[in-house]
Structure formats: structure tokens, C-alpha cells
Amino acid sequence: MSARSQKITFAEMRSSGVHGLLIYCSDYRCSHYIAISGDRWPDDLRLSDLEPRFVCSACGKRGADVRPDFPTARMGIG
């Protein structure tokens, strides 16, 4: 069993102006994901602390990959 690396805290994520999360099922064959708000969790919590708590609503597998939902970059044409 491999150890997961620690990810950033919610405070670090929010300081970058990001409030959303992308939650990916830990089973690569399922490939289900959702986008949710991260506003409900405290600043000192790490994104990696949440990963074992999620259960996929599509396949039922426990565990997830939690990532900040960075806004899509806009390319200026000028």
C-alpha cells in the first residue's frame, strides 16, 4: 500500500483565489468525477485529508483524488 503525499491546505488554496474542488474516483476504470465547493471545510485541513472519506456515487469505491478546481485560463488575442 503506497502512502499518499500531503496536499495543500484549504487556506493555501483559497489564498490563490480558488474555492472549488474536483473530486475524481480513485478507480481509474470508473473515471467518475464531480466539481464541488470547498467552502465548507476549515482552513487548516489538507485536501489529502479528505481523500479517504469520499465514496464514488457511480461505482461505490472508497477514496478519491481531490484537486483544486483552478479557473480555466483565457487566451487573449490581440
Side-chain angles (χ1 to χ4, degrees):
M1 186 173 193
S2 64
R4 289 188 180 257
S5 61
Q6 284 193 337
K7 295 185 178 178
I8 64 173
T9 64
F10 278 90
E12 293 167 328
M13 183 181 84
R14 291 177 186 130
S15 72
S16 298
V18 178
H19 290 267
L21 297 173
L22 294 173
I23 314 297
Y24 294 90
C25 178
S26 62
D27 185 345
Y28 72 93
R29 293 168 294 193
C30 175
S31 69
H32 184 245
Y33 74 95
I34 60 170
I36 63 171
S37 170
D39 290 341
R40 70 179 90 176
W41 288 286
D43 285 342
D44 62 334
L45 189 68
R46 293 190 176 278
L47 274 61
S48 51
D49 295 338
L50 289 178
E51 291 179 336
R53 299 179 186 183
F54 284 99
V55 176
C56 181
S57 62
C59 74
K61 181 158 177 104
R62 178 171 289 280
D65 182 14
V66 178
R67 301 178 190 181
D69 187 4
F70 292 103
T72 304
R74 292 184 180 227
M75 303 275 299
I77 298 175

